[in-house]
C-alpha cells in the first residue's frame, strides 16, 4: 500500500495546475512574513513584548482553518455547487441581515460589518463575494436564452443585486458593495449579455456611486483627501500621506525586512489594508513588482482554466473560474491603487496577503474551487484521450 501510494504521487500532482498552486503558496508565504513584520509593534503595544507574534499566530490559525475549508470545498463537484448555490446565496443574505441586528452585529470604527463569535469575528461581506460569483455564474447559465431580454434577463439579477447592495450599504461597506456589483456585471458580460444592457448597467452603477459619494460627507471627504492628501496630512489625508512616504522610503530595494518606520504607529492598519505600503518600504520596488507578477500569474491561470472549461462544454465552471479571477484581480487593483494614492482610501484587504480571518478563508475556499475546476478539466481531457 505504501509503495502504491508513493508511485501515485507524481500522477496526483500532475492533476493540478502547478502555476496556480505555486503562485498561491508564494503569495501566502509572503503574506505571513509581512504580517509578522508589520504587526510586531502594535502587538507589543497591545499585549506586551512577550506576545509580539500575536497577529502572526492568529493569521496562521485563520490560514490553517481556511486550508481545511479549502480542502473540503475541493472535494465538492461543480455540479453540486451549482445545484445548491441558491441556498448558499440565501445564507449569505441572511448573514448580511444578522450583521445589522443589534447585539449580533459587532461594530468597529463606526461600521457594523462583523458577527461576533467571541473567539473570532466573521465578516459576511467577504463570503458574499464568493457566493455572488457562484450565483451570477448559475444565473447566466440558466438564463442564457434570455440575457438580451430586459424583463427576463436584466430585471431579476438587478433586483437581487439591489437587495444585497442595500444590506451592504447599511453596514456601511461601500468597498464590498462596489466589488459585489462589479463581479455580477463582469460575469454577465462574460456570459454574453447584450452590450446595450451592459452599458446601461455601467451607467446605472456609475450614477448610483456618484450619488452615494455626494450624499455622504464622509465619502466625499475621502475622495477630496485622495486628490490632495498633503492638503490635510494630519487629518483626512493622514493614511495616504504615510502610505506614500513608505513607498518613497522603499526606493528600489527597500530599507530591509523589518526596517519599516511607518509601521511604528505612523501608518494605521499597517498589517491589514496598508500591508503593501510596509512591503514597499521594506522590500522596495522589486518586492512590489514580485507581488504584482505573482498576482498576474494567478489571475491569468484563472482565465486559462475558465477558457478550457468553456471549450469542454462546462459553462458554469467557466464563468466561476473567470469570476474568481475578476474578483481577485479587482480587489488587488483597488487595494494597490489605494496604497499608491491613485484611488480613494477604501477598507479592502489585499487577497492572500493581508491579515484577516474572513478574507483569508474566503480566498482559500474560492481558490480551492478554482483548483477543482482545473482538476475536472483535466479529468475530462484524460477521458477524451482514452
Amino acid at each position: 500500500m505504501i509503495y502504491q501510494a508513493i508511485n501515485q504521487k507524481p500522477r496526483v500532482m500532475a492533476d493540478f495546475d502547478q502555476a496556480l498552486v505555486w503562485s498561491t503558496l508564494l503569495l501566502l508565504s509572503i503574506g505571513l512574513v509581512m504580517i509578522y513584520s508589520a504587526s510586531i509593534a502594535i502587538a507589543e503595544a497591545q499585549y506586551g513584548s512577550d506576545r509580539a507574534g500575536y497577529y502572526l499566530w492568529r493569521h496562521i490559525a485563520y490560514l490553517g482553518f481556511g486550508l481545511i475549508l479549502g480542502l473540503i470545498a475541493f472535494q465538492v463537484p461543480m455540479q453540486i455547487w451549482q445545484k445548491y448555490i441558491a441556498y448558499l446565496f440565501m445564507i449569505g443574505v441572511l448573514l448580511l441581515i444578522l450583521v445589522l441586528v443589534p447585539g449580533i452585529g459587532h461594530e468597529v470604527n463606526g461600521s457594523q460589518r462583523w458577527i461576533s463569535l467571541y473567539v473570532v469575528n466573521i465578516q459576511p461581506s467577504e463570503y458574499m463575494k464568493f457566493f455572488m460569483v457562484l450565483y451570477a455564474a448559475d444565473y447566466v447559465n440558466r438564463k442564457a436564452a434570455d440575457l438580451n431580454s430586459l424583463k427576463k434577463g436584466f430585471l431579476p439579477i438587478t433586483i437581487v443585486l439591489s437587495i444585497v447592495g442595500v444590506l451592504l450599504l447599511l453596514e456601511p461597506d461601500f468597498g464590498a458593495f462596489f466589488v459585489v456589483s462589479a463581479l455580477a456585471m463582469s460575469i454577465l458580460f462574460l456570459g454574453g449579455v447584450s452590450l446595450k444592457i451592459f452599458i446601461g448597467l455601467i451607467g446605472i452603477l456609475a450614477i448610483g456611486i456618484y450619488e452615494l459619494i455626494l450624499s455622504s460627507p464622509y465619502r466625499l471627504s475621502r475622495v477630496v483627501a485622495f486628490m490632495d492628501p498633503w492638503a490635510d496630512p494630519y487629518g483626512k489625508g493622514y493614511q495616504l500621506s504615510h502610505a506614500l512616504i513608505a513607498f518613497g522610503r522603499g526606493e528600489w530595494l527597500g530599507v530591509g525586512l523589518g526596517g519599516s518606520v511607518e509601521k511604528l504607529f505612523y501608518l494605521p492598519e499597517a498589517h491589514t489594508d496598508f500591508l503593501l505600503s510596509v512591503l514597499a518600504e521594506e522590500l522596495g520596488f522589486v518586492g512590489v513588482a514580485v507581488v504584482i507578477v505573482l498576482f498576474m500569474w494567478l489571475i491569468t491561470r484563472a482565465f486559462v482554466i475558465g477558457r478550457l472549461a468553456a471549450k469542454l462544454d462546462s459553462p458554469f465552471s467557466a464563468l466561476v473560474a473567470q469570476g474568481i479571477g475578476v474578483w481577485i484581480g479587482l480587489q488587488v487593483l483597488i487595494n494597490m491603487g489605494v496604497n499608491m494614492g491613485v484611488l480613494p482610501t477604501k477598507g479592502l484587504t489585499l487577497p492572500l496577503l493581508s491579515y484577516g480571518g474572513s478574507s483569508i478563508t474566503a480566498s482559500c475556499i474560492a481558490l480551492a474551487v478554482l483548483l477543482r475546476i482545473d482538476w475536472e478539466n483535466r479529468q475530462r481531457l484524460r477521458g477524451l484521450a482514452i
Side-chain angles (χ1 to χ4, degrees):
M1 291 294 289
I2 295 174
Y3 177 78
Q4 185 179 8
I6 292 173
N7 281 341
Q8 285 179 349
K9 262 188 178 181
R11 184 184 66 79
V12 171
M13 286 303 293
D15 286 340
F16 298 99
D17 188 309
Q18 299 295 302
L20 175 62
V21 172
W22 281 107
S23 58
T24 300
L25 290 176
L26 286 170
L27 285 167
L28 288 172
S29 300
I30 293 171
L32 284 173
V33 173
M34 292 312 305
I35 285 170
Y36 183 50
S37 177
S39 67
I40 290 176
I42 188 172
E44 288 183 343
Q46 291 177 341
Y47 304 105
S49 58
D50 58 330
R51 300 186 68 183
Y54 175 82
Y55 289 103
L56 171 67
W57 289 112
R58 282 183 70 88
H59 189 75
I60 290 173
Y62 292 144
L63 179 57
F65 185 58
L67 292 175
I68 291 171
L69 292 178
L71 183 62
I72 295 170
F74 177 80
Q75 306 302 319
V76 180
M78 290 309 298
Q79 60 183 9
I80 300 299
W81 284 109
Q82 186 174 10
K83 182 178 180 180
Y84 292 103
I85 180 51
Y87 300 104
L88 290 174
F89 193 80
M90 285 190 287
I91 291 173
V93 172
L94 179 61
L95 289 174
L96 290 180
I97 294 171
L98 287 176
V99 82
L100 299 172
V101 177
I104 297 178
H106 180 61
E107 185 176 328
V108 177
N109 296 330
S111 296
Q112 197 160 317
R113 304 175 186 175
W114 295 266
I115 295 176
S116 178
L117 300 180
Y118 298 103
V119 179
V120 295
N121 295 324
I122 65 169
Q123 189 173 356
S125 59
E126 290 294 334
Y127 301 103
M128 179 50 74
K129 297 170 188 174
F130 174 60
F131 295 152
M132 180 56 76
V133 169
L134 294 174
Y135 180 82
D138 177 57
Y139 181 86
V140 169
N141 192 52
R142 286 186 291 107
K143 298 277 188 175
D146 300 318
L147 283 181
N148 294 328
S149 169
L150 200 63
K151 184 178 179 181
K152 295 181 180 179
F154 170 75
L155 193 58
I157 189 70
T158 304
I159 293 172
V160 170
L161 194 57
S162 298
I163 293 170
V164 174
V166 167
L167 291 172
L168 289 171
L169 291 173
L170 286 174
E171 295 183 6
D173 194 342
F174 185 73
F177 164 74
F178 179 79
V179 171
V180 167
S181 301
L183 281 174
M185 290 171 55
S186 300
I187 292 172
L188 284 172
F189 178 74
L190 291 168
V193 72
S194 165
L195 188 59
K196 290 181 180 179
I197 293 178
F198 181 71
I199 293 174
L201 273 171
I202 292 178
I204 292 171
L205 182 62
I207 293 170
I209 290 173
Y210 179 73
E211 290 296 328
L212 285 169
I213 292 173
L214 287 183
S215 64
S216 171
Y218 173 70
R219 295 191 189 104
L220 185 59
S221 65
R222 279 197 165 189
V223 173
V224 173
F226 130 79
M227 295 176 71
D228 186 10
W230 307 109
D232 187 14
Y234 299 105
K236 298 297 182 182
Y238 183 80
Q239 284 180 307
L240 181 52
S241 60
H242 280 280
L244 294 175
I245 291 170
F247 270 87
R249 291 192 75 246
E251 298 185 346
W252 286 98
L253 298 176
V255 298
L257 188 62
S260 169
V261 171
E262 288 300 318
K263 70 184 180 184
L264 303 177
F265 311 107
Y266 292 105
L267 185 62
E269 311 296 339
H271 58 300
T272 56
D273 301 346
F274 285 89
L275 185 72
L276 185 70
S277 296
V278 178
L279 187 148
E281 186 179 2
E282 296 188 348
L283 304 181
F285 173 82
V286 173
V288 174
V290 168
V291 170
I292 291 174
V293 169
L294 286 173
F295 273 120
M296 289 176 64
W297 196 5
L298 189 155
I299 294 162
T300 300
R301 295 314 304 167
F303 277 90
V304 169
I305 291 168
R307 188 168 67 244
L308 180 57
K311 290 180 179 178
L312 293 171
D313 197 27
S314 300
F316 173 72
S317 296
L319 289 172
V320 170
Q322 292 173 343
I324 291 171
V326 171
W327 170 18
I328 294 173
L330 182 63
Q331 195 149 325
V332 166
L333 183 66
I334 293 173
N335 181 276
M336 289 187 172
V338 167
N339 276 258
M340 296 178 187
V342 296
L343 290 174
T345 303
K346 201 69 231 109
L348 286 173
T349 58
L350 187 59
L352 304 177
L353 269 76
S354 294
Y355 174 83
S358 298
S359 174
I360 199 69
T361 52
S363 297
C364 286
I365 294 169
L367 289 171
V369 170
L370 180 59
L371 205 58
R372 173 73 195 195
I373 295 169
D374 173 65
W375 184 84
E376 290 187 1
N377 286 347
R378 292 167 187 259
Q379 299 308 306
R380 290 193 185 94
L381 287 173
R382 186 173 287 115
L384 291 173
I386 294 173

